[in-house]
Amino acid sequence: MSVTIDITGLPPERISVVPSPLAELGMALHALSEPGHHPDLQGWATAVSSRLDPRLADRLCEADFLWRTTFSDVFAPFAGIPGRRTPPGATLAEELDLLDKLTDEQFVNAALEFTCQLRYDLQEPSLLDDPELRRRSLELAAARGAVQEQFARRLLEDPPVVRAWFRQLMLDCDEAFFADTWARIQPQLAADARHKTELLRRKGLGEALASLSEAISLDEEAALITVDKLSVGRTATGDGSLVLVPTSLGWPHVLVLHRFGWQPSITYPASGSRPQAPSVEQLTRRLEALAHPVRMRLCRHLARAPHTTGELADAHGMSAPEISRHLAVLKKAGLITDCRRGRYVQHQLNLSAVARLGSDFIEGVLR
C-alpha cells in the first residue's frame, strides 16, 4: 500500500520546499485534539489547553473533525489555486487570503471529505449542484454524529458564511496561542527548508526525498515518487509543481495531498523531529512473524539468553530444520540477531526492536 506521485516531465525549478503557517496551525489543532498521537508535545498541549478561552474551545469543537482524526485540505489552499504552481503563503494572513480564492465547490468538498466519504482522487459531481449527492452526503454526515450533520448542513446551505466563520476561527487561534508557537518554530522550519532546497540543488530529487523520510522514495526511471502509507492513492504533477512542506508539530505524520485537480504536496517532519518508524512492509512482517505460537515460544527462550539451533530444537522437541525455518522468519523481520562463537551460531532476541513494536505500530498507522 502506498501513495504515488507521477512527476513525468517535472523540471527541478518547479519543486519547492516551503513552510506553511496554515498547515502548521492545522497540525497544532490536531495535537491539541489528540495529544496521545504526539507524546513529545503533551507539555505544550497541556499549557495551551489550560489557558484557552472556553468560548474558543467550544467553537473549535464545532469543526474538530477537520483536524482531529486526519487533516483537511482546507489547511493547504495553495494547492487548489488554478495553475497548480502557487506556493504556501509566508504568513497566516496570506494563506487565509489563498483560502478565500478557492471556489465554494473546492472549499465544500475539502471540508466535507471526511464527513461525507467523498472520493478523493477522482472527479465527482459538485455537492452544491447535485441534489442526490447532497442528500446522500447529509445522510452520511448524520451517521457520523450530530456535530458533523449540523456543520455539513450549514456549509451546504450557505458556504460563504461558514467560510467566513472558519477564517475568523483561525485568526482567533492565531491570537490565542499560535502566533507565539509559530514565532518559536518558524526559524527551524525555514532552516530545514533551506537545507532541503540546497540538497535538491546539489544532489537531486532522490537524495532530497530520502532526507525527508524513510517512507519516501523515488524511482527515477519511472519518474514516480512513492510514499509508504497504509492507504492507496495516485496523482501526477502534470504541468503543475510539487511542494514539500516541513512541519515541526506533525511527527509521525507524512501527509500526501493527492486531491483530484489540486497541486501535489508532501508534508514531512522537519529534521530532528523524531526517528522514522519501520516501513509498512517491515511492520507487517514483524507482526506476522510473532503471530505463530512456535515463534512466540522461541522468543521467550531467546529473550533470556542466546541459544543455538540445536539447543532450541531439544528444548521444543522439534527438528533442527523446523527450528531453522522459524528462526529465518524472525531474522527476516529483524526480531533476532546472530552471533558466532567458534563453530556455533547463537541466536538472541532483538529486545530494542521488540520493545518498539507498539510505538512502531502506532507511528505506522498514523503516518
Side-chain angles (χ1 to χ4, degrees):
M1 289 181 284
S2 61
V3 179
T4 60
I5 304 174
D6 185 340
I7 59 169
T8 301
L10 180 69
E13 61 268 20
R14 294 214 307 266
I15 305 170
S16 58
V17 189
V18 188
S20 165
L22 183 55
E24 199 71 349
L25 176 51
M27 291 291 188
L29 291 171
H30 170 70
L32 290 173
S33 300
E34 294 288 353
H37 290 185
H38 304 272
D40 289 352
L41 298 177
Q42 286 190 5
W44 170 85
T46 300
V48 171
S49 298
S50 65
R51 66 173 187 266
L52 201 62
D53 185 281
R55 290 169 295 182
L56 177 57
D58 289 342
R59 290 163 60 205
L60 289 172
C61 290
E62 294 181 39
D64 69 347
F65 48 85
L66 295 176
W67 55 77
R68 178 182 286 276
T69 56
T70 187
F71 302 92
S72 170
D73 289 340
V74 297
F75 291 101
F78 64 89
I81 301 300
R84 306 201 302 167
R85 296 189 186 184
T86 302
T91 65
L92 182 64
E94 288 181 17
E95 294 221 273
L96 291 174
D97 288 344
L98 292 177
L99 187 65
D100 289 341
K101 293 181 180 180
L102 298 183
T103 66
D104 283 345
E105 180 181 343
Q106 286 178 303
F107 185 88
V108 168
N109 285 346
L112 295 185
E113 173 197 346
F114 307 112
T115 297
C116 302
Q117 298 177 345
L118 301 175
R119 294 299 301 270
Y120 187 77
D121 50 4
L122 296 176
Q123 187 172 21
E124 285 209 359
S126 170
L127 280 168
L128 299 177
D129 299 331
D130 188 317
E132 177 58 27
L133 184 58
R134 180 190 182 106
R135 182 195 63 79
R136 177 60 177 158
S137 297
L138 288 173
E139 286 182 357
L140 292 170
R144 292 291 180 92
V147 174
Q148 286 92 328
E149 180 188 14
Q150 183 181 18
F151 182 87
R153 194 173 297 278
R154 287 171 53 206
L155 183 56
L156 290 171
E157 289 175 355
D158 199 341
V161 169
V162 177
R163 295 178 66 163
W165 175 86
F166 180 80
R167 180 188 176 103
Q168 188 58 52
L169 180 64
M170 296 300 102
L171 290 173
D172 290 345
C173 288
D174 187 49
E175 181 178 356
F177 66 88
F178 183 68
D180 291 340
T181 300
W182 181 250
R184 175 174 56 83
I185 64 178
Q186 191 275 336
Q188 173 200 354
L189 296 179
D192 187 85
R194 288 193 298 271
H195 171 69
K196 298 299 192 298
T197 299
E198 183 66 12
L199 194 62
L200 180 66
R201 185 183 69 83
R202 295 174 63 89
K203 296 192 175 181
L205 181 58
E207 290 280 348
L209 291 175
S211 73
L212 305 186
S213 168
E214 294 176 2
I216 307 174
S217 60
L218 172 66
D219 183 336
E220 295 191 29
E221 185 175 347
L224 196 69
I225 297 172
T226 299
V227 183
D228 185 45
K229 291 176 68 71
L230 280 169
S231 58
V232 177
R234 184 176 180 85
T235 188
T237 53
D239 60 356
S241 63
L242 174 67
V243 179
L244 309 175
V245 181
T247 171
S248 177
L249 304 176
W251 182 92
H253 306 294
V254 177
L255 308 179
V256 187
L257 196 161
H258 54 100
R259 176 178 293 278
F260 179 86
W262 288 41
Q263 173 184 193
S265 71
I266 300 174
T267 300
Y268 67 92
S271 297
S273 294
R274 280 291 296 272
Q276 297 297 326
S279 68
V280 171
E281 180 183 0
Q282 186 179 21
L283 179 60
T284 302
R285 189 182 298 126
R286 289 181 175 180
L287 294 176
E288 289 176 346
L290 293 174
H292 198 287
V294 171
R295 291 194 284 271
M296 286 284 286
R297 292 198 297 270
L298 290 175
C299 286
R300 181 174 182 272
H301 268 83
L302 298 176
R304 296 179 174 184
H307 289 79
T308 65
T309 302
E311 289 174 327
L312 293 170
D314 291 341
H316 291 271
M318 300 172 64
S319 68
E322 288 178 303
I323 292 294
S324 293
R325 284 194 292 271
H326 286 297
L327 291 176
V329 174
L330 291 169
K331 185 174 182 180
K332 186 176 181 181
L335 295 175
I336 63 172
T337 58
D338 296 339
C339 178
R340 177 173 289 278
R341 294 188 176 180
R343 49 192 288 256
Y344 297 101
V345 175
Q346 294 183 323
H347 313 281
Q348 189 165 18
L349 192 67
N350 185 344
L351 292 175
S352 61
V354 176
R356 275 194 53 83
L357 267 177
S359 57
D360 285 346
F361 176 76
I362 294 296
E363 292 163 21
V365 298
L366 291 179
R367 181 186 296 158

